[in-house]
């Protein structure tokens, strides 16, 4: 599921700022990056099921994970985790509680980044 209505996509910002604001809201950076791309994940548990809210970005000036690197945020996505296969994004029926939590967290991230 894509969250295009939050209007985070195409926002250009320093990696340091995105990293700080995303982790402050509960997103995890972990090891999901290379020098050009990065992913911030939030794991959501709902009735014995696991979902991942993901905020991807890519470097447009500099290399990740340098603080001064400028990244461009891509459209956030929500996927359902299936063991042992991984995360599926399409063809899923996401629970309202998970979608609402995702909308809230993404709106909070957008508002925090808009202030920078």
């Amino acid at each position: 599921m894509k969250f295009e209505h939050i209007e985070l996509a195409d926002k250009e910002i320093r990696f340091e700022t995105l990293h700080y604001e995303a982790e402050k809201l509960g997103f995890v950076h972990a090891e999901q990056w290379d020098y050009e791309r990065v992913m911030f994940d939030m794991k959501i548990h709902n009735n014995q099921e696991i979902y991942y809210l993901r905020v991807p970005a890519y470097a447009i000036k500099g290399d990740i994970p340098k603080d001064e690197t400028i990244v461009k945020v891509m459209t956030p996505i929500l996927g359902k985790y299936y063991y042992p296969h991984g995360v599926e994004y399409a063809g899923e029926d996401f629970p309202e509680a998970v979608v609402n939590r995702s909308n809230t967290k993404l709106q909070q991230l957008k508002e925090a980044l808009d202030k920078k």
Side-chain angles (χ1 to χ4, degrees), residues 14-26:
R14 284 175 47 110
F15 174 75
E16 173 185 42
T17 303
L18 176 60
H19 187 238
Y20 175 78
E21 295 298 340
E23 287 198 342
K24 193 165 72 171
L25 289 168

Side-chain angles (χ1 to χ4, degrees), residues 18-35:
L18 176 60
H19 187 238
Y20 175 78
E21 295 298 340
E23 287 198 342
K24 193 165 72 171
L25 289 168
F27 288 89
V28 177
H29 176 232
E31 297 299 321
Q32 300 140 341
W33 64 275
D34 59 26
Y35 295 106

Side-chain angles (χ1 to χ4, degrees), residues 70-108:
I70 303 299
V71 296
K72 188 175 213 177
V73 179
M74 300 167 67
T75 302
I77 52 177
L78 178 66
K80 183 177 180 182
Y81 178 73
Y82 290 95
Y83 177 83
H85 304 291
V87 180
E88 293 292 331
Y89 303 99
E92 295 295 330
D93 188 24
F94 296 101
E96 184 177 347
V98 173
V99 173
N100 289 342
R101 181 168 181 200
S102 299
N103 276 316
T104 299
K105 287 294 182 178
L106 292 172
Q107 189 61 43
Q108 290 171 339

Side-chain angles (χ1 to χ4, degrees), residues 8-16 18-19 29 32-40 54-76:
L8 270 171
D10 298 326
K11 180 175 276 303
E12 295 179 8
I13 195 157
R14 284 175 47 110
F15 174 75
E16 173 185 42
L18 176 60
H19 187 238
H29 176 232
Q32 300 140 341
W33 64 275
D34 59 26
Y35 295 106
E36 297 175 350
R37 296 171 290 161
V38 65
M39 187 82 68
F40 293 92
R54 295 189 151 164
V55 178
Y58 63 94
I60 57 173
K61 183 179 179 187
D63 293 328
I64 295 169
K66 293 180 182 174
D67 289 345
E68 67 276 3
T69 297
I70 303 299
V71 296
K72 188 175 213 177
V73 179
M74 300 167 67
T75 302

